[in-house]
Amino acid sequence: MMNRRQFLARTALCGTALGLGLGAPGKLLAAASKGKGLGIQLYMVLDAYQKDPAGTLKTLKSIGYTEIEAIITSTAETLRDQLKAAGLACPSMHFDSLGFDPGIKAAHTLGSRYIVSSMLPAIMAKEKGGGDPTYTLDDAKRTADYANRLGAKAKAEGLQYAYHNHHAEFTDVGGGKVFYDVLLAETDHKLVQFELDCGWVHAGGKNPTDYFKANPGRIPLMHAKDFLPGNAKDYPGAELGRGTLDYKPIMAAADAAGLKHCFVEQEGPFARMGSLDAARVDFDYLRPLR
């Protein structure tokens, strides 16, 4: 089974153009009493969802999840109806597999507020003629400009654009800065917000807590993710609480910085247990901290 990074790279290359005209190329009880919902990225349970959509969504609801972050594998209308039947909300969606303009339409169909790019550098590289994305200072500036234009287009449609990271965004670009720092500095706060994937931040050698503390109001979305120690080349996913990250300080910093939605997302392969069982373990670990 491919991991999410590989899946997104493939769908980013297969998706339609973005449509920007860029050319061809007691504390536990107190936490629980906050009433904040906990979500899950649909990709995490995609294997189960594709076999039994209705049953999978109902299981997520029974575990305690109140919302999902969408990827579209059929139609937005189909997913909307399935989520309604299961009693799950969809405040955010990733558009990479669709393209940006169809993604806007899908977001409206699903009732989503946030429209998110999963791998924007890969999409930009594809539009330039293919090849792997690079992460230099100039690349960071170009990506920030592109993100601003996406954000403006999303705002015109009544949506909020957000940028989701992987580990490569924490590449050093010189001057004591990393690629991600440039994105934060050179994007318009009103147009571009961020979805911090905490597992990939850690894999990139940085501390997610530091980013929440330094950027209040800019990170309304997050992915709670962890990896097993060692074997970093393959980035084997771990259930929350069983990997290398302690989410207690991360969640405290995230909430203090204005986090709106937290989505569990575990990378495969699910060799130790199935994805739905892992979703239950992840929920049980994170719920008291949320």
Side-chain angles (χ1 to χ4, degrees), residues 187-199:
T187 48
D188 187 317
H189 291 209
K190 295 181 180 179
L191 300 179
V192 179
Q193 295 187 331
F194 290 83
E195 178 171 61
L196 197 70
D197 189 305
C198 298

Side-chain angles (χ1 to χ4, degrees), residues 26-42:
K27 291 184 178 179
L28 296 185
L29 290 176
S33 69
K34 293 178 183 178
K36 295 179 179 178
L38 186 59
I40 187 169
Q41 227 295 343
L42 186 60

Side-chain angles (χ1 to χ4, degrees), residues 15 27 40 86 121 139 163 176 196 228 232 235 277:
K27 291 184 178 179
I40 187 169
D139 292 325
Y163 183 105
L196 197 70
L228 293 172
Y235 298 101
D277 289 330

Side-chain angles (χ1 to χ4, degrees), residues 207-222:
N207 188 337
T209 299
D210 294 339
Y211 276 96
F212 281 116
K213 288 182 176 180
N215 299 282
R218 294 229 55 199
I219 309 174
L221 311 172
M222 69 169 273

Side-chain angles (χ1 to χ4, degrees), residues 261-273:
H261 301 281
C262 176
F263 301 106
V264 167
E265 187 193 37
Q266 184 175 326
E267 299 285 348
F270 292 94
R272 296 173 301 282
M273 64 185 74

Side-chain angles (χ1 to χ4, degrees), residues 166-281:
H166 285 78
H167 67 293
E169 280 90 345
F170 300 93
T171 299
D172 190 329
V173 296
K177 295 182 179 180
V178 300
F179 189 97
Y180 198 77
D181 296 337
V182 178
L183 296 183
L184 285 162
E186 300 205 7
T187 48
D188 187 317
H189 291 209
K190 295 181 180 179
L191 300 179
V192 179
Q193 295 187 331
F194 290 83
E195 178 171 61
L196 197 70
D197 189 305
C198 298
W200 285 123
V201 174
H202 184 66
K206 301 298 181 181
N207 188 337
T209 299
D210 294 339
Y211 276 96
F212 281 116
K213 288 182 176 180
N215 299 282
R218 294 229 55 199
I219 309 174
L221 311 172
M222 69 169 273
H223 280 182
K225 177 180 293 175
D226 207 348
F227 296 102
L228 293 172
N231 198 25
K233 181 179 179 181
D234 295 326
Y235 298 101
E239 296 79 37
L240 298 180
R242 300 179 180 182
T244 58
L245 278 170
D246 177 5
Y247 269 90
K248 186 173 182 179
I250 295 172
M251 293 308 307
D255 283 334
L259 183 72
K260 302 297 185 186
H261 301 281
C262 176
F263 301 106
V264 167
E265 187 193 37
Q266 184 175 326
E267 299 285 348
F270 292 94
R272 296 173 301 282
M273 64 185 74
S275 61
L276 286 173
D277 289 330
R280 189 180 301 277
V281 171

